[in-house]
């Protein structure tokens, strides 16, 4: 069994390849070499893979992603319909995503950003107590990440609803699904948290038409993909006062370019795509376990439904 390892990030063999070899001793794992020869790999382990990976390795039968989002894989030329695309299912990411959502929500609802300004001015002035019922939360996308986020925030007694393509039942979370129920979901939401996968249907979903349906003074948290957000529309709604602020972890262009208007906008909090990193040891164990299942002819977990994009 030949496996090609192609990652745009850390390529130190001791970081990924050697630990994977230890867990899959019956496989040959070859690091990707730019302009290198074809090795006739049957499997690939990737993160943001080279553009020509499927053209150079036409014998691939399955590709295992080192993250949850697979849009970078699906866009690569030469990907055949019969190649299984397998996403990372968690590997410690859902807990981090929930932590990030708590941070963004509590910072806004408990007015901690205003307390930071008071500290700079040496002002001691308690602000009004929180009224949680007024901080209605809506989570877009109820996969592994979104479900953990919704459950965590509901556990803090915020009124939480979730919206997804198909109906989901989560204890303590009001459920909305499909395009017909999206307006009702948005109308009851003050804090919108986006955890959707990036697909043709979700690209640009955070736009003027969608965001202006939120409750006045709404707050946006985007931890999905930068392409979900129409950036000019967010700025327009911030200027109009309909949206009071945003916490953004993902952007259409990363790193966020110098001079981008988001950098200097005090209403926007920026983090550099760090909301939920796949933890290395957990990721290696999950990918290696799935590959061992493949080698035994057993069903894989995390296989992407290609026409859905997740």
């Amino acid at each position: 069994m030949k496996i090609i390892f192609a990652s745009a990030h850390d390529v130190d063999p001791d970081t990924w390849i050697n630990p994977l070899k230890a867990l899959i001793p019956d496989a040959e794992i070859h690091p990707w070499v730019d302009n290198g020869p074809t090795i006739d790999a049957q499997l690939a382990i990737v993160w943001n893979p080279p553009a020509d990976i499927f053209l150079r390795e036409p014998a691939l039968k399955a590709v295992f992603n080192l993250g949850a989002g697979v849009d970078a894989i699906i866009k690569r030329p030469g990907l055949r319909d019969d190649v299984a695309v397998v996403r990372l299912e968690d590997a410690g990411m859902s807990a981090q995503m929930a932590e990030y959502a708590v941070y963004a929500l509590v910072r806004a609802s408990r007015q901690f950003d205003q307390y930071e300004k008071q500290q700079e001015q040496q002002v001691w002035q308690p602000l009004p107590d929180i009224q949680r019922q007024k901080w209605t939360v809506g989570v877009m996308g109820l996969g592994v990440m979104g479900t953990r986020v919704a459950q965590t925030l509901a556990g803090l007694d915020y009124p939480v609803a979730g919206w997804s393509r198909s109906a989901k039942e989560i204890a303590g979370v009001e459920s909305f699904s499909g395009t017909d129920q999206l307006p009702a979901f948005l109308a009851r939401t003050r804090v919108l948290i986006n955890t959707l996968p990036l697909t043709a249907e979700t690209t640009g979903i955070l736009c003027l038409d969608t965001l202006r349906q939120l409750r006045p003074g709404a707050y946006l948290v985007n931890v999905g993909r930068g392409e979900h957000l129409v950036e000019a529309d967010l700025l327009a709604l911030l200027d109009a006062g309909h949206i009071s602020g945003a916490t953004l972890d993902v952007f259409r262009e990363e790193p966020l370019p110098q001079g981008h208007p988001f950098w200097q906008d005090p209403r926007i909090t920026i983090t550099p795509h760090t909301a939920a990193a796949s933890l290395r040891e957990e990721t290696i164990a999950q990918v290696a376990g799935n590959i061992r299942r493949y080698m035994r002819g057993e069903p894989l977990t995390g296989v992407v439904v290609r026409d859905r994009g997740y």
Side-chain angles (χ1 to χ4, degrees):
M1 177 71 68
K2 292 183 179 181
I3 301 173
I4 189 79
F5 181 90
S7 172
H9 290 172
D10 194 339
V11 294
D12 182 347
D14 288 334
T15 302
W16 292 101
I17 294 179
N18 290 340
L20 283 163
K21 285 181 176 178
L23 294 176
I24 322 170
D26 295 334
E28 299 178 18
I29 304 180
H30 301 262
W32 175 271
V33 178
D34 289 337
N35 301 314
T38 298
I39 67 166
D40 294 321
Q42 296 161 278
L43 305 179
I45 302 171
V46 305
W47 175 252
N48 193 17
D52 59 340
I53 186 170
F54 298 111
L55 301 175
R56 200 171 96 183
E57 296 293 339
L60 286 172
K61 301 297 184 183
V63 54
F64 297 83
N65 195 34
L66 296 175
V70 297
D71 44 288
I73 296 174
I74 292 175
K75 293 176 183 177
R76 296 295 185 258
L79 175 60
R80 304 188 316 275
D81 291 341
D82 63 341
V83 176
V85 177
V86 185
R87 60 180 173 80
L88 202 63
E89 295 177 274
D90 192 337
M93 291 185 289
S94 64
Q96 296 174 74
M97 191 72 81
E99 290 172 338
Y100 190 96
V102 169
Y103 156 76
L105 172 61
V106 171
R107 188 167 183 266
S109 64
R110 294 290 304 276
Q111 307 170 91
F112 287 142
D113 54 344
Q114 296 186 45
Y115 284 124
E116 290 173 6
K117 294 176 183 177
Q118 287 187 10
Q119 180 176 345
E120 293 173 359
Q121 302 166 2
Q122 300 185 44
V123 171
W124 181 281
Q125 179 60 57
L127 297 171
D129 295 336
I130 184 175
Q131 298 181 43
R132 275 184 174 74
Q133 293 306 309
K134 293 184 178 181
W135 288 90
T136 49
V137 178
V139 180
M140 296 185 80
L142 294 175
V144 173
M145 307 292 180
T147 296
R148 183 67 175 269
V149 168
Q151 290 173 327
T152 300
L153 299 181
L156 294 175
D157 294 339
Y158 286 90
V160 179
W163 178 82
S164 54
R165 176 174 176 165
S166 55
K168 302 285 181 68
E169 292 188 10
I170 302 172
V173 177
E174 187 179 3
S175 178
F176 295 82
S177 61
T179 55
D180 291 344
Q181 294 185 7
L182 181 58
F185 166 79
L186 295 170
R188 52 81 57 205
T189 295
R190 181 174 179 181
V191 179
L192 181 65
I193 302 174
N194 175 48
T195 69
L196 287 167
L198 184 65
T199 66
E201 290 75 22
T202 64
T203 298
I205 194 170
L206 302 177
C207 61
L208 190 66
D209 288 343
T210 299
L211 297 176
R212 67 183 177 187
Q213 295 182 59
L214 298 171
R215 292 177 57 184
Y219 196 92
L220 174 66
V221 181
N222 188 19
V223 289
R225 284 289 187 266
E227 292 88 345
H228 285 135
L229 176 63
V230 180
E231 296 176 347
D233 289 357
L234 172 60
L235 291 170
L237 289 170
L238 284 166
D239 290 342
H242 187 72
I243 291 182
S244 62
T247 295
L248 307 177
D249 185 58
V250 289
F251 305 90
R252 286 180 175 265
E253 183 178 351
E254 295 181 2
L256 189 65
Q258 294 294 315
H260 192 287
F262 285 173
W263 281 117
Q264 300 297 325
D265 196 318
R267 302 164 297 187
I268 297 176
T269 298
I270 291 171
T271 53
H273 205 144
T274 56
S278 53
L279 302 180
R280 185 167 60 89
E281 290 185 3
E282 288 86 342
T283 298
I284 289 170
Q286 186 180 132
V287 171
N290 235 354
I291 289 176
R292 290 196 300 269
R293 278 190 285 274
Y294 179 91
M295 295 171 70
R296 294 192 298 263
E298 298 172 1
L300 302 175
T301 64
V303 177
V304 172
V305 179
R306 197 79 66 82
D307 60 353
R308 292 185 181 181
Y310 59 91

